[in-house]
Amino acid sequence: MKRIATRSKAIGLVSALLMVSGAAIAQDFSEVIDNRQQNFLSIADTFKSLKKAEDGSDSDWETIRNLAIKNADTIGALKGMFPEGSSFDSRSKPAVWTKWDKFESGLDGLQTSFVSMADAAVAQDDDALEAAIKSADRSCKACHRGFRTKR
């Protein structure tokens, strides 16, 4: 009987240590998780503003260019915001880390779409801008399906 009580205490102690270390790990990454979530929100808000500036015959090309460049730069910074172990208490699926090459390729594709938008703005090319916007929309949706929880 004493052996069972000792074993139960040991299991309880190990469980408590795991919870504490899990909380410590989550705490260590809370800032990076917050930063990357803010960057994703910034990309979404900027993209909405960019779409509003696009008006076919009367597009605000300078605004479109600036917003597209801002998003391309933000996406470039995101690649460094997914350190191993930073999935705890985040909206990122484990697939971000287990399929990193695919995830990074998606970010690269999205970044390329925003660079294409900036190029289209410089050329004032409505068709190229529309194609780049559609490409970015597809990239966002694909990444959300594969790498983000619905929570």
Side-chain angles (χ1 to χ4, degrees), residues 17 36 81:
L17 286 172
R36 76 180 178 224
M81 294 185 175

Side-chain angles (χ1 to χ4, degrees), residues 135-146:
S135 175
D137 278 331
R138 284 191 303 270
S139 292
C140 289
K141 288 176 187 172
C143 194
H144 281 211
R145 281 191 304 270

Side-chain angles (χ1 to χ4, degrees), residues 51-121:
K51 287 177 181 180
K52 287 179 184 174
E54 187 260 332
D55 187 21
S57 62
D58 193 24
S59 295
D60 183 348
W61 296 110
E62 187 63 25
T63 297
I64 291 167
R65 180 188 162 282
N66 291 336
L67 293 173
I69 290 170
K70 177 183 177 191
N71 271 1
D73 290 345
T74 302
I75 292 164
L78 273 171
K79 294 175 190 177
M81 294 185 175
F82 289 89
E84 193 73 38
S86 66
S87 65
F88 183 80
D89 201 28
S90 81
R91 296 185 72 180
S92 301
K93 289 181 179 179
V96 168
W97 294 273
T98 60
K99 297 179 181 180
W100 178 258
D101 290 343
K102 185 175 180 180
F103 178 72
E104 187 175 38
S105 176
L107 286 177
D108 289 341
L110 183 59
Q111 187 175 33
T112 298
S113 294
F114 283 106
V115 170
S116 295
M117 287 178 220
D119 292 344

Side-chain angles (χ1 to χ4, degrees), residues 8-81:
S8 293
K9 285 180 184 178
I11 291 171
L13 180 61
V14 169
S15 296
L17 286 172
L18 287 174
M19 287 190 301
V20 169
S21 63
I25 290 169
Q27 193 171 17
D28 289 343
F29 292 113
S30 62
E31 189 173 332
V32 76
I33 291 168
D34 287 344
N35 285 339
R36 76 180 178 224
Q37 288 173 345
Q38 289 306 312
N39 279 340
F40 278 118
L41 290 172
S42 172
I43 290 167
D45 290 343
T46 301
F47 196 20
K48 287 177 190 172
S49 296
L50 186 150
K51 287 177 181 180
K52 287 179 184 174
E54 187 260 332
D55 187 21
S57 62
D58 193 24
S59 295
D60 183 348
W61 296 110
E62 187 63 25
T63 297
I64 291 167
R65 180 188 162 282
N66 291 336
L67 293 173
I69 290 170
K70 177 183 177 191
N71 271 1
D73 290 345
T74 302
I75 292 164
L78 273 171
K79 294 175 190 177
M81 294 185 175

